[in-house]
Amino acid sequence: MGAIKMSNNLPTIYVHMLGEFSITVKDKTISDQNNHSQKLWNLLSYLITYRNRKISHTELIHLLWKDGQSSNPNGALKTLMHRLRTLLKELNYPAEFILQKPNSYIWNNSLSCVFDVDVFENYYKEGLYSDSKEKRLEKYRKAITTFKGTFLPKMNHETWSAPICAYYHNLYLKIVIETINMLMEKERYAETANICWQALTIDPYMEDFHYHLIRALYLSGNLDAALKQYSTTTGLFLSKFANTPSEQLKTLYKEITRNNP
């Protein structure tokens, strides 16, 4: 699916699913930070995630009321859908977001929408198939900036979202590591450090990012900053996991101290 679906002069809808779940139209936003039930957000996020197909009432009932938790699941689904439509009306949009079909619902794919997950993935694909490393770097860096965090973080306890969350997170890690490798190959150490700092806001306990940050600081000639970062990193892992530095980090530390008598 493309990142943008165009419609007839309707306002663009921006859907954020990485690091948060929100829908914005012009100056109006609804977000799962709002005080609404988890089931309501689960229903909306599921319909958007699987926006390319009709979703049957049976599938939604199984999603929302596992193990027969409702004595009248069809009625409960109808009530929840009414509440969802009421919530979406807060966006003052002149068209229906969710269409009702026989025994099913589907997200209205004729609307003009930008989904951050599609933007992220498209940047990756554009970079992957670009004809130069510089273009690849440009696209990968845009992908990194687009990735604001875990896919649907408030849904991470839902079994349906776990594999999708893992997919986007693993793709993000792949993009970051490849970007770091390309920058280091070009000896662009300051840019490497910036990418590492950015990545550590998403994955603060990813040792590879700490390692590449320390190495980039060291190779840029900033030995004191590299040693300070090494101390911070080892302290972080010791307090969080009771782990001593890995052999990779120890080897890097020895290399730095040999050059910083």
Side-chain angles (χ1 to χ4, degrees):
M1 175 191 298
I4 301 176
K5 286 182 172 290
M6 299 308 297
S7 189
N8 296 327
N9 299 317
L10 290 173
T12 301
I13 303 160
Y14 294 92
V15 181
H16 297 277
M17 306 173 82
L18 298 171
E20 64 169 345
F21 180 37
S22 66
I23 304 176
T24 299
V25 180
K26 294 185 176 179
D27 61 341
K28 302 286 186 182
T29 297
I30 60 170
S31 159
D32 64 359
Q33 302 298 315
N34 298 353
N35 187 23
H36 293 282
S37 76
Q38 189 75 0
K39 274 188 171 59
L40 185 146
W41 292 112
N42 196 8
L43 172 60
L44 179 56
S45 59
Y46 194 83
L47 287 165
I48 292 175
T49 299
Y50 295 104
R51 55 194 172 274
N52 287 325
R53 65 178 177 86
K54 297 174 188 175
I55 303 174
S56 71
H57 293 176
T58 301
E59 182 176 343
L60 291 173
I61 288 168
H62 179 73
L63 169 77
L64 298 163
W65 293 280
K66 301 177 181 69
D67 304 321
Q69 294 169 352
S70 173
S71 60
N72 180 15
N74 284 300
L77 177 60
K78 186 176 180 180
T79 299
L80 189 64
M81 186 61 70
H82 175 74
R83 289 173 53 207
L84 178 53
R85 292 187 192 280
T86 301
L87 171 64
L88 290 167
K89 283 179 181 176
E90 294 179 15
L91 295 168
N92 294 334
Y93 201 76
E96 289 292 332
F97 289 92
I98 300 166
L99 303 178
Q100 186 164 6
K101 302 292 182 180
N103 299 312
S104 65
Y105 295 101
I106 187 170
W107 179 262
N108 187 351
N109 278 315
S110 69
L111 304 180
S112 173
C113 291
V114 178
F115 301 94
D116 62 348
V117 289
D118 288 347
V119 174
F120 168 68
E121 198 164 16
N122 285 347
Y123 278 139
Y124 166 69
K125 290 175 181 176
E126 289 169 5
L128 183 65
Y129 297 112
S130 61
D131 55 9
S132 73
K133 279 192 175 180
E134 204 55 47
K135 285 183 182 176
R136 182 174 298 176
L137 265 174
E138 177 193 346
K139 297 297 182 180
Y140 279 10
R141 294 182 76 160
K142 286 181 178 179
I144 291 167
T145 300
T146 302
F147 192 90
K148 302 297 185 185
T150 301
F151 174 78
L152 296 175
K154 288 200 169 185
M155 295 293 136
N156 59 13
H157 63 285
E158 296 289 340
T159 54
W160 70 265
S161 69
I164 305 169
C165 178
Y167 167 76
Y168 286 118
H169 187 243
N170 289 337
L171 182 57
Y172 171 74
L173 295 179
K174 172 183 169 66
I175 293 168
V176 172
I177 293 298
E178 288 190 16
T179 300
I180 288 170
N181 289 339
M182 286 188 285
L183 288 171
M184 291 296 284
E185 185 181 285
K186 293 174 179 289
E187 299 182 2
R188 288 156 63 172
Y189 303 127
E191 293 174 64
T192 302
N194 284 336
I195 291 292
C196 292
W197 283 121
Q198 198 171 339
L200 285 167
T201 65
I202 303 293
D203 276 294
Y205 303 111
M206 184 70 177
E207 188 186 291
D208 279 355
F209 296 162
H210 288 279
Y211 170 81
H212 288 297
L213 172 58
I214 296 165
R215 188 162 181 264
L217 292 169
Y218 160 57
L219 291 174
S220 69
N222 201 341
L223 273 63
D224 289 342
L227 288 170
K228 183 178 179 182
Q229 188 59 38
Y230 175 84
S231 177
T232 299
T233 299
T234 54
L236 175 70
F237 280 88
L238 188 61
S239 63
K240 182 69 178 179
F241 305 111
N243 284 349
T244 56
S246 66
E247 287 305 313
Q248 179 180 237
L249 277 173
K250 287 178 182 176
T251 300
L252 179 58
Y253 176 75
K254 290 174 184 175
E255 184 179 346
I256 295 170
T257 51
R258 278 199 304 268
N259 291 285
N260 190 33

